[in-house]
Amino acid sequence: MEGLFFNVNGGYIEGVVRGYRNSLLNGQNYSNLTQCETIDDVKLQLSPAYGDFLASLPPNPSTSSLANKTTDKLVAEFRYIQGQAVGTLAKFMEYLTYGYMIDNVALLITGTLHERDTRELLERCHPLGWFETMPVLCVATNIEELYNSVLIETPLAAYFKGSLSHQDLDELNIEIIRNTLYKNYLEDFYKFVTEHPELKDTPTSEVMAEVLEFEADRRAINITLNSFGTELSKQDRNKLYPSFGGLYPEGTLMLSRADDIEGVSLAVSGNHDYKSYFDSVGMSGGMGGSGPGNMSGGGGSDGKSLEDMFYQKEMEISKSAFTRQFTHAVIYAWVKLREQEIRNITWIAECIAQNQKERIGNYISVF
Amino acid sequence: MSGAGDREAVFPTRQSLGAMKNKLKGAETGHSLLKRKSEALTKYRAEITRRIDEAKRKMGRVMQIAAFSLAEVTYAVGGDIGYQIQESAKQARFRVRTKQENVSGVFLPQFESYTTEGNNDFGLTGLGKGGQQVQRCRETYTRAVETLVELASLQTAFVTLDEVIKVVNRRVNAIEHVIIPRTENTIKYINSELDELDREEFYRLKKVKSNKQRDNNAAEQEEKASKRRGSDKENADDPGATDILGEQEDQDVIF
């Protein structure tokens, strides 16, 4: 039934996004890219997909400018789709941008805290996370003003409310603020896709629930792993875990009590996928010495780290999202796939630029 | 001029000869000492050069790894975290202290790096994703900076040492080629002057002696001649031979 009226509003956009999906680089393209000797060759190989955007680059561009230009293309296409979106889809796309907004706001808060000229920071903000009132953030000179008069006006106000006071902004580490915001955002997004009357029980909610649950789990695991050896206490850590996801609530509880990598491994052992990741990177065997998540460490049997595994999994979920029809989730999946593509290109370009070809195959390609 | 080269402006006296001889001895001792110092320093410099070479090669490798780990961070975090890191770093975790090392009387500065423990300003960076890479990247860069500090220490030592070696060599050469020959020249000059004086003195004495002899001879001759003349006269008419028993009136003897 859900397909009956979907195309009235979403048909065109879905078509466009599927078209975009087809222009993503595939395995063949990637293997061509890895054969390149110089950045110019990379540029040449990318020209069918990114032609217009790379044309203005000087010969032998830096990898960061390459990444910027490829991001520009993503932004341009995203803006186009956003321009077409109506109703729940428009709302859905706004939710997509909130993640980037959180990064931008965190950046600006950092700037304000250190009393820098935040206008310079506007250029560094991710273009997808741009919102109209963002330049206003720069007006605030102290953190109280920022909190009381400016942040309230942003779309993120709801995420600040109730969990962070303006004293917190001053005292807490910016990373904790960022992750608190992100947790609230994920929970809100999850609630939106599962409970909104127009999205409930549609393919959108099914696919997005899977994606977001995975995202929540990934964050919980990563936060736990990364907090070892830092001043982040277990109580604070517990507050950063999203309150849904495959691990919630038992796994999350165990994560909040974990003291080391083995504890994390034990906490996720209820989930077959995560358990197999931990097993394959050899961390459950107590090889924590080299550290999890490092890509070159001796832990991974085939050079893959936990982070790589998560990315791989995310890409697979995103790819399978395209098997469903009449759903907004394809847009999310497309954005994620494109982001991964940009990361892959940057990685390959970096490997070529630094002449470190042995690890060039570390990119993640799902097509 | 006596002595082919330049010499010091001294009066050629025995005293200054003694002083010059002392000076020559001192110069020779100094020369051998400085020569040994210069050799020691040169040896040390060769050692430093070798270590600089090693450190530079190591730096190349380490910097490459460090740059690559930064690429890993970019890949894992999926964005630029530079600003955040810069802002959250409040205190230097990696510090350098200097000390001095004494190599044959030369003070060489040495840099020593150390990390202050428990100073982890951006330990939470990349908490959501990529935190491990950030920490790893920090470690690789710490190693890179360590190598740089080591290299800087060696390079500074090298520059200082090079300067000192130049000075020492200049001194050695100056002593060897200027001071010693000059002192020797002076000694030679004083010697020759003194010899000259000796000879003059000798000649003078001889002259005096010969003059004296000549005078003596002349006096003797004259005496002889006059003696001979006197005896002839006595023989011929001796007016002096008075007849004490004669009739000449005696002079009264008045008491």
Side-chain angles (χ1 to χ4, degrees):
Chain A
M1 274 303 283
E2 75 268 0
L4 201 53
F5 300 109
F6 181 85
N7 281 352
V8 175
N9 288 326
Y12 171 67
I13 290 167
E14 197 188 339
V16 171
V17 171
R18 279 174 194 276
Y20 285 156
R21 172 222 178 276
N22 283 343
S23 71
L24 290 170
L25 300 177
N26 57 29
Q28 178 67 39
N29 293 128
Y30 279 125
S31 63
N32 283 344
L33 280 177
T34 55
Q35 303 298 317
C36 291
E37 292 292 328
T38 64
I39 304 286
D40 272 340
D41 291 347
V42 174
K43 207 174 126 186
L44 196 70
Q45 288 289 340
L46 289 175
S47 57
Y50 286 94
D52 304 345
F53 289 89
L54 298 182
S56 62
L57 281 177
N60 270 327
S62 71
T63 48
S64 57
S65 60
L66 198 65
N68 283 343
K69 290 293 172 191
T70 44
T71 313
D72 283 350
K73 181 173 151 100
L74 167 65
V75 174
E77 289 172 355
F78 189 87
R79 290 268 175 263
Y80 176 73
I81 295 173
Q82 205 173 19
Q84 307 289 328
V86 289
T88 52
L89 181 56
K91 184 81 187 142
F92 181 84
M93 292 199 66
E94 268 175 36
Y95 268 106
L96 282 187
T97 62
Y98 288 169
Y100 304 98
M101 278 185 204
I102 291 172
D103 282 346
N104 289 351
V105 168
L107 187 68
L108 291 176
I109 290 176
T110 318
T112 315
L113 273 179
H114 293 95
E115 292 169 356
R116 295 297 152 88
D117 186 5
T118 37
R119 275 171 204 85
E120 291 167 14
L121 293 178
L122 287 179
E123 294 164 22
R124 294 166 179 268
C125 290
H126 196 287
L128 278 187
W130 186 271
F131 51 92
E132 268 177 36
T133 53
M134 199 165 79
V136 184
L137 283 175
C138 300
V139 176
T141 48
N142 62 50
I143 211 72
E144 198 176 339
E145 203 182 343
L146 184 76
Y147 185 82
N148 284 335
S149 55
V150 189
L151 282 179
I152 299 300
E153 302 294 321
T154 67
L156 301 177
Y159 306 143
F160 277 96
K161 210 168 73 183
S163 56
L164 291 166
S165 69
H166 73 265
Q167 280 95 350
D168 288 344
L169 287 186
D170 242 343
E171 288 157 12
L172 285 177
N173 191 301
I174 187 68
E175 275 300 313
I176 298 176
I177 296 170
R178 182 205 300 268
N179 284 292
T180 313
L181 291 179
Y182 213 91
K183 166 201 173 227
N184 291 342
Y185 154 68
L186 278 181
E187 283 170 2
D188 190 37
F189 198 4
Y190 187 73
K191 211 170 120 202
F192 169 72
V193 293
T194 50
E195 289 175 18
H196 193 275
E198 282 181 47
L199 292 177
K200 207 176 168 193
D201 300 328
T202 61
T204 307
S205 89
E206 278 174 43
V207 178
M208 283 314 292
E210 189 194 350
V211 171
L212 291 174
E213 277 168 14
F214 168 73
E215 181 68 27
D217 292 346
R218 179 167 80 162
R219 285 196 84 81
I221 294 171
N222 269 335
I223 287 172
T224 317
L225 286 178
N226 290 338
S227 68
F228 294 145
T230 62
E231 68 263 38
L232 188 65
S233 69
K234 283 183 187 173
Q235 288 84 8
D236 288 339
R237 198 167 76 196
N238 198 20
K239 283 185 206 153
L240 301 179
Y241 297 141
S243 59
F244 64 95
L247 295 174
Y248 187 79
E250 295 89 357
T252 319
L253 189 67
M254 283 168 82
L255 275 181
S256 71
R257 290 180 184 161
D259 283 317
D260 49 18
I261 291 150
E262 273 147 71
V264 179
S265 163
L266 196 69
V268 301
S269 57
N271 186 310
H272 177 71
D273 277 345
Y274 305 144
K275 189 174 186 306
S276 65
Y277 297 158
F278 270 78
D279 288 345
S280 68
V281 294
M283 286 197 301
S284 50
M287 286 190 59
S290 63
N294 73 50
M295 296 202 275
S296 66
S301 50
D302 51 354
K304 294 265 185 190
S305 70
L306 195 63
E307 207 112 7
D308 287 346
M309 300 276 189
F310 281 138
Y311 274 135
Q312 181 80 38
K313 172 80 176 163
E314 186 183 18
M315 289 307 104
E316 272 158 19
I317 295 175
S318 300
K319 186 186 174 190
S320 64
F322 279 96
T323 59
R324 307 293 293 262
Q325 228 184 336
F326 311 127
T327 165
H328 301 327
V330 288
I331 299 172
Y332 182 91
W334 164 71
V335 172
K336 289 291 166 197
L337 286 168
R338 177 49 76 67
E339 277 202 323
Q340 180 62 38
E341 184 178 296
I342 292 169
R343 269 202 301 273
N344 287 342
I345 292 171
T346 319
W347 175 254
I348 291 171
E350 200 79 53
C351 284
I352 290 168
Q354 300 194 13
N355 220 353
Q356 299 247 1
K357 290 286 187 62
E358 63 266 28
R359 304 257 311 282
I360 202 167
N362 236 323
Y363 61 86
I364 294 162
S365 160
V366 283
F367 292 113
Chain B
M1 282 292 285
S2 71
D6 62 338
R7 56 177 171 80
E8 285 169 48
V10 288
F11 288 111
T13 59
R14 283 200 186 275
Q15 195 186 3
S16 57
L17 179 68
M20 278 300 133
K21 279 192 171 158
N22 273 340
K23 189 174 173 185
L24 181 64
K25 198 181 271 176
E28 266 161 6
T29 321
H31 177 251
S32 78
L33 278 176
L34 280 178
K35 189 103 186 168
R36 250 181 287 161
K37 179 180 176 179
S38 146
E39 270 159 19
L41 291 180
T42 315
K43 187 162 166 267
Y44 194 73
R45 184 177 60 173
E47 163 79 13
I48 284 188
T49 318
R50 194 181 54 75
R51 272 163 63 194
I52 285 180
D53 182 56
E54 263 172 30
K56 281 202 172 160
R57 281 168 210 276
K58 189 176 163 203
M59 180 192 72
R61 285 196 307 274
V62 171
M63 289 306 272
Q64 197 176 16
I65 295 171
F68 197 67
S69 75
L70 188 62
E72 278 177 6
V73 169
T74 324
Y75 179 79
V77 180
D80 188 16
I81 54 164
Y83 185 78
Q84 216 188 322
I85 302 271
Q86 281 165 32
E87 286 303 326
S88 54
K90 291 183 196 72
Q91 270 190 319
R93 175 185 153 86
F94 189 92
R95 292 161 193 235
V96 175
R97 68 161 84 88
T98 54
K99 60 172 192 180
Q100 283 189 321
E101 199 197 6
N102 191 343
V103 177
S104 23
V106 184
F107 287 102
L108 297 178
Q110 272 200 327
F111 302 125
E112 213 178 33
S113 54
Y114 65 101
T115 47
T116 42
E117 289 307 316
N119 185 354
N120 196 350
D121 275 340
F122 49 90
L124 290 174
T125 306
L127 191 59
K129 54 184 177 183
Q132 307 290 336
Q133 274 84 353
V134 173
Q135 298 309 320
R136 226 176 80 77
C137 181
R138 189 183 65 180
E139 275 159 32
T140 37
Y141 266 98
T142 309
R143 279 205 293 282
V145 177
E146 259 168 37
T147 320
L148 286 182
V149 169
E150 196 187 319
L151 187 60
S153 170
L154 288 174
Q155 297 247 32
T156 323
F158 182 82
V159 170
T160 322
L161 201 58
D162 202 46
E163 199 73 14
V164 173
I165 286 178
K166 261 187 210 156
V167 170
V168 170
N169 278 344
R170 208 178 296 142
R171 278 185 194 155
V172 169
N173 285 340
I175 291 178
E176 192 177 335
H177 296 290
V178 179
I179 295 182
I180 290 184
R182 187 199 279 174
T183 319
E184 277 171 351
N185 272 339
T186 316
I187 291 173
K188 220 184 278 168
Y189 160 75
I190 295 175
N191 274 336
S192 69
E193 289 291 303
L194 286 179
D195 283 356
E196 187 80 13
L197 280 178
D198 271 357
R199 274 195 299 278
E200 255 172 42
E201 183 74 12
F202 186 64
Y203 182 77
R204 196 173 58 86
L205 288 177
K206 240 163 80 176
K207 190 81 181 170
V208 168
K209 206 175 163 192
S210 70
N211 278 358
K212 234 181 205 166
Q213 204 150 21
R214 200 189 54 204
D215 290 353
N216 279 352
N217 284 349
E220 219 166 283
Q221 294 267 299
E222 208 166 316
E223 205 176 322
K224 261 183 201 161
S226 67
K227 214 176 251 176
R228 205 181 308 128
R229 220 180 302 134
S231 66
D232 283 351
K233 210 187 262 177
E234 208 176 334
N235 287 345
D237 49 351
D238 194 357
T242 51
D243 182 9
I244 50 167
L245 301 175
E247 294 101 89
Q248 290 106 340
E249 275 177 51
D250 279 3
Q251 285 188 327
D252 294 328
V253 178
I254 299 161
F255 293 98

